[in-house]
Every structure is written in C-alpha cells, then in structure tokens.
Amino acid sequence: MKIAVLPGDGIGPEIVAQAVKVMEALRSEGLQIEMEYAHIGGAGYDAAGDPLPEATLKLAQESDAVLLGAVGGYQYDNLPRPQRPEQGLLRIRKVLNLFANLRPAMVYPELVSASSLKPELVSGLDILILRELTGDIYFGQPRGIRTLENGERQGFDTMHYSESEIRRVAHVGFQSAMKRSKKLCSVDKANVLDTSMFWREIVTEVGKEYPEVELSHMYVDNAAMQLVRAPKQFDVILTGNIFGDILSDEASMLTGSIGMLPSASLDANNKGLYEPCHGSAPDIAGKNIANPLATILSVAMMMRYTFAREDIAQRIENAVRKTLQQGYRTGDIAEAGMAKIGTAEMGDAVVAAL
Ligand code: NAD
C-alpha cells in the first residue's frame, strides 16, 4: 500500500499525525504500508511557491492513495488565485480525475446529543452523500468579471455537465446504493436549470441498469429542507458539485461535529484521495485540541475503497466507536461536564482500542 501523506496547513499536520499512528500500528502487525510525505496548499506555496508543487503531484500520481489533512490559512488569503491553497486541492482532484466524492454522515449513539437536531430525528442516522467533484460551475469556462457594453461590470460563471460525467458518477451512486439499502435520491434543480434537466434524464437512464435500486429525484431546495426535517428518509444522495458542496456541509451538522466526518474522492479505478470534510481550522491550529477522528475514519475509507480491505476498515471504525464508548472526547464533541482530551491523546486512545 503506497500512500502519499499530505498534511497541508492549520490543524492538518496534527490530525494527520494521528491517522499515521493508526497506520503505523497496522504496519507493526505486518501490513505492508509505505508512506511518503509531501507539501500541499499553503505549505506547498511556502516550500515551492506553488500550492501543488510538481514533486507532490508526481508522488500522488505514483501512489495508490493519498491521505490529506486540510489546506488554507489567513496568511494566504490575499495571494493571487493560482497561488491560493485551495487551488492545490482543486488541481489535484482534477489531475487525478477524482470525480466521485463520498461523504458518509453517521450519527454515533454516544454523540446523538451533540447534534443540533432533536435526538429522535438523528439517532441511527447513516446516509451517504455522493457529490460529483470535477465538473459543474466550479470548473466551467468561460468565467470571470467583464464589462458590458453599457459600461456595467458583471461577474459570470458557466454551469455544464457532459453526458459521460453524469453517467460515471451515476454508476458509482447506484453501485453504492446496491451495497446499502438500495435507495438513491438524485438531487438537482431541474425546474430551473437546463443542466439539471439533462442530469435527471441521464441518471434516470443509468437507473434502468439497476432495477433493484429505488430511484427518486428531488429539487435541491427541498433536499436542503428535508435534510433537517427528516434526514433518515435518505440513504444515498447523488448530486452535482455545487449542490453537493452545500448539502454535505449541512449534513455534517446532523452528526454533531464536522470533526467526525471522513471523505473519499475516487477515480474510475478506485484510486483515491482521503481527507476529513472539515477545513484547516486556523482558529484552533497548533493547540492540540482538534478532533482527529475524521482523518482516522478517512483511513478506514481508504482501506475499504482503494485497498478492498473491509476487515481493516471495520476494525478502525470499531476502534473509533470503542474510544467514544470509553468516554474519550475532544472539545468539539464533549458535553458539558465531560473531561476533554487533546488531539494526540485521542490518536493514542484509538490505537489502544485498535
Ligand atoms: P473549517 O472547517 O476549517 O472550520 C470551521 C469551524 O469548525 C471552525 O470553528 C473550526 O475550529 C471547527 N473545526 C474544523 N475542524 C475541526 C476539528 N477537526 N476539530 C474541532 N473543530 C474543528 O472551515 P473554515 O473556518 O470555513 O475555513 C478555514 C480554512 O480552511 C480556510 O482557509 C478554508 O479555505 C479552508 N478549507 C479547506 C478545506 C479543505 O482543505 N478541504 C475545506 C474547507 C475549508
């Protein structure tokens, strides 16, 4: 297992170090894991003047999987767009063709009360948001700021999806649904957008190849509402890049803390980039208080999707569950009166449980 480790910025290095502890523990049992580090984001800019240095991209291309912390920091906010940290992330996803972004949102019984919703709405929640990651308005050309004939300035972006882009992510969606409870909800804005009308047509067509999966369609505004009204009605949600960006962050709050949510971004051969859903949290960086569980759970997803080691994935997930059952909490998931532990201690607790 050749893994590129890209800690990135802010809390990235602290949380990735805990995930590395877990991989080292697995390696000490004989699992053949090879890890190599490289810079990305602001760290890439500091080291090589580029948020995705050539050496980092080469390492990522030569590896089976990439483990990433997070990118971004106040000190980089005023750089020209090509040098900004998030450009490194957008480029690595694009170059590696990581078009399928899987974000499970699961509520652990021990954390039900950390959710902002009533316990009965979220207890037992287990949904998967599948977001298309390399197309849509985030990548469409032309884009920019222009001056119209009447002298007024205008900002513009272009939304488009090609048939092949929709087909390949729809297949991932139906295949994921087949492994779960065989329900797929495709989310779009087909009442207003032509791109969405086309999305719906192609998803429906692909669905004919998966007769066992119950396919439904929902407008994104309604989906945003249903996610906080009755989230357990969903199993797999399939959606485009911009809608998925927003809905997956909304769904993260159902679970209590963004610090608990892992993600996987896969190409057509299950090569993947694995990272927590949250950002670099510069407000708490370097204080040993960030929650490393999303990053550790991202390693579990890596074992499941890239290396097809469901057994190891479940061991890591069970270790996290046990750690929570034992009462260990970082500040973001601790209830009033509960003892809090630091980032490194949480990593140690998971390794001990493993
Ligand atoms: P953020 O996710 O970094 O932080 C939002 C809030 O959640 C903050 O209060 C933070 O302290 C808290 N938080 C996040 N992760 C946590 C963890 N593991 N444990 C405990 N608390 C945690 O989002 P933001 O503040 O909007 O952005 C900060 C920076 O991160 C920006 O530069 C942004 O561009 C970048 N960002 C990067 C990614 C990525 O690398 N994938 C994603 C989103 C934002």
Side-chain angles (χ1 to χ4, degrees), residues 11 15 68-74 77 86 89 93 257-259 275-284 289-292 294 330 332:
I11 57 170
I15 53 177
L68 187 135
V71 301
Y74 310 129
D77 283 352
E86 57 276 18
L89 200 51
R93 288 171 179 165
S257 171
I258 198 159
E275 58 179 326
C277 286
H278 57 74
S280 56
D283 52 331
I284 58 168
I289 55 176
N291 184 347
T330 44
D332 57 309

Side-chain angles (χ1 to χ4, degrees), residues 45-214:
Y45 175 78
D46 289 340
D50 184 347
L52 183 62
E54 202 52 48
T56 304
L57 184 58
K58 186 164 176 282
L59 174 68
Q61 283 169 323
E62 288 167 359
S63 304
D64 302 310
V66 178
L67 178 69
L68 187 135
V71 301
Y74 310 129
Q75 67 271 46
Y76 309 109
D77 283 352
N78 295 319
L79 288 173
R81 187 199 291 271
Q83 270 98 51
R84 289 213 199 131
E86 57 276 18
Q87 290 301 312
L89 200 51
L90 290 176
R91 261 168 53 209
I92 198 172
R93 288 171 179 165
K94 189 78 182 172
V95 177
L96 297 181
N97 220 351
L98 305 171
F99 64 87
N101 181 225
L102 283 75
R103 292 191 179 196
M106 243 187 82
V107 174
Y108 290 87
E110 295 76 17
L111 300 183
V112 165
S113 56
S115 171
S116 45
L117 293 193
K118 294 189 193 108
E120 62 270 28
L121 289 183
V122 293
S123 133
L125 181 80
D126 178 7
I127 61 181
L128 176 69
I129 299 198
L130 172 56
R131 163 188 172 195
E132 200 288 330
L133 203 59
T134 53
D136 207 349
I137 195 162
Y138 288 179
F139 291 94
Q141 295 289 345
R143 61 189 290 169
I145 299 167
R146 61 191 166 199
T147 305
L148 302 174
E149 275 175 14
N150 66 3
E152 194 186 4
R153 295 208 304 152
Q154 182 188 59
F156 65 103
D157 294 273
T158 305
M159 175 180 263
H160 56 63
Y161 262 123
S162 59
E163 185 170 342
S164 58
E165 284 175 320
I166 304 170
R167 266 185 200 284
R168 64 183 184 178
V169 76
H171 278 291
V172 177
F174 284 104
Q175 282 157 17
S176 305
M178 286 295 288
K179 291 188 198 138
R180 297 170 52 97
S181 50
K182 300 195 172 74
K183 264 174 64 183
L184 179 79
C185 179
S186 172
V187 171
D188 61 37
K189 189 72 185 168
N191 49 344
V192 177
L193 300 170
D194 285 359
T195 308
S196 277
M197 244 162 59
F198 186 57
W199 171 280
R200 192 175 278 216
E201 179 189 320
I202 302 302
V203 170
T204 305
E205 239 177 76
V206 173
K208 294 192 181 122
E209 296 175 42
Y210 302 87
E212 285 175 60
V213 177
E214 180 193 324

